[in-house]
Structures are given as structure tokens and as C-alpha cells.
Amino acid sequence: MQKIAVLTSGGDAPGMNACIRAIVLTAEHFGIQVIGYKHGYNGLLEQEYQVLKASNVSNIIQRGGTILRSARCLNFKSDVSAKLAAKNLNALGIEALLVIGGDGSFHGVCHLAAHWQGQVIGLPGTIDNDIFGTDATIGYFTAIETALESIDKVRDTADAFERIFLVEVMGRHAGFIGLSAALASASDHVLVPELCGDLNVELDNIVLRLNASMQKRGNSSFIIIVAENLWPGGVTNLAQVLHEKTNLECRPVILGHVQRGGSPVSQDRILATKLGAYAVEQAMAGKSQIMVGEQNNKVVAYPIELTWQQRKPLDPYLVEIQQDFFDISKITQA
Ligand code: F6P
């Protein structure tokens, strides 16, 4: 193998740079040249690229974002685009394309594979952690830390005013960041899609829990973590609804894109380094249409189309702990 390419696509995630670095250093070790496409799949369509050498990836392991830039490329869904990408890859003599991204980017990988003879490999890079086949995705650990740091600060002011705060975290349609951040910040309630049923029942549960907490602790802060895209109108609307139900002061906080930024924590840097190196080795072994991931601390190669065909579950033990700590049925009986 002489030449491979890499691109970052979709929502950027802390650790993507660490992953690019590992790909370049591993490839260089085996005498393989690396082309870095810019702006996700757009770079592939427009032949916007640069040769990546060790000197291009020094001093980037600690940086958030991606030196290759990222983008969502809806245009890539068409056959015309995939054929153009195949032509461009062939023109540069690229044998394998490595794509660091999430679910949407992996669909792009498979779409390209239908039109290109070269090898395609996905590397899971998203703060959402919603990719089946890998225990964690690159960027997820840092996003939890970032959310946690903010929630701890919200707790300070919430305590000072004995107020209710609703903190909205990212995750697209998955509750990984929400559940982890809620547990680690000892938040009083969490609403994530995997654990939420009827929203009216959820609202009644929040009120029950709030009343129980006030009976036990008197006036005090109360933090509710809410996953994005869950409550119609988001936390701003939920704060209003809750205020109308309880007559208590409720403040919404939307953490937003801050969760995508920052220097990656060590877990993300190490995961990114492992997966970057492993992806190059898998390319050299002739593998294609796989995602490289990690399961039980071991690197694995997983068929890429299976990564979105099953929904990755939340850690059932974490869910159990969260539910035991805040058991609604016990509150109702009390
Ligand atoms: O997939 C990563 C993510 O940050 C999600 O958590 C969020 O829903 C989405 O991207 C936001 O996308 P955009 O940056 O396009 O607003």
C-alpha cells in the first residue's frame, strides 16, 4: 500500500486531531503517504486536499476541532457525487479512504463504497457516542467533562438562589452525555430519550420529585438535565411549563456547542490514537467497509453498516443506579 486519504466529517469532536496524528504517524512508519481532504466530503468533491506529513501533525494532539476542518455534505448522497469522488480518489492513486465522523459520515462511507473500488474505513468521531459497535466514540469523554464543568458552576448559583435549573445537553437523539453528566454532577433529575415515556407523565414525575425534595431539604437548588431534541420547545419551554405548575423560579441553560470544543481529555486522546493506528493497519490488511472501534479495551473491526442498524443502549447499570437513587415509586408512597 502506498497512498491513503483521511477526512473529518459531520460534527467535530475533541480528539479528531489526535486521530489524524495517529493515522499520519502510523502510515509514515510503514512508508505510506497520507492525503488529508479538507471540509469533509466537500473536499473530496472539489479536490481540496493537502499532503500530511509528521511535521503537519506535531503539536495538535491537545487541540480541539480538526485541522482538516469539517462539514456536513448533503450533496454527497447523490450517485453523481459518489462517482465524482471515486474519480478524484483514483486520479490521486488513493487506495484507502479513512473517514472520521459519526452516523451520517458512515452512511457516506457506504455510499462511496458502492461506486469506488478502493477500501473505505470509518473511525467513530462524535461527542454523541451513538455509534453501535464501539464502547465509546472519540470526543465523548471530553464532552462529558465540558458539560460537567458547566453544570457544577450552574449548581453554585442555583444553590445561592435556591433555584431550579434546567440544563440542556447535546446528544442529537441519544442520552449518553445526559445520563453521564447527570450522574457525575449529582443532578436531581434527568430526561433522556431512552428513559422517557409520555412527556406529561415525565412532567408529573419532576413535580413529585421537586415536592419530595423540598419536604426533605426545604428550599434548595434542584438541577434537571435535559437532552436536546426531547422536550418540544426545549428547556426554555420546559422551564415555563414547570413554573406554571409549581410557581417556583425555573431557569433554562442551554450548553450547546461549547460541548464540542476544548482540549481533548486523556481518554479521548488515547482512544483516538489507538483507533487511528488500527485503521491504518486494517487498511494495510486489505479490510474495507468496516468501522474500527473499541470493545472491552480491545480494538475491533466492525461491519460499518451494522453501526447504525442497531441502537446503542445506555449502560444498563448506570441507568439502574440513576433510577434507584431517585426512585419515583418510593416518593409516591412516602
Ligand atoms: O453530532 C454532534 C452534534 O453536536 C449533536 O450533538 C448535535 O445535535 C449536532 O451535532 C449539532 O449540529 P450542528 O453543529 O450542525 O448544529
Side-chain angles (χ1 to χ4, degrees), residues 33 37 54 128 187 198 213:
Q33 190 185 45
Y37 277 107
D128 302 336
S187 289
D198 184 318
S213 151

Side-chain angles (χ1 to χ4, degrees), residues 11 72 126-128 170-172 228-229 257 260:
R72 302 190 197 278
T126 166
I127 62 165
D128 302 336
M170 273 189 168
R172 205 166 49 135
E228 65 172 345
N229 301 319
H257 288 78
R260 288 234 296 257

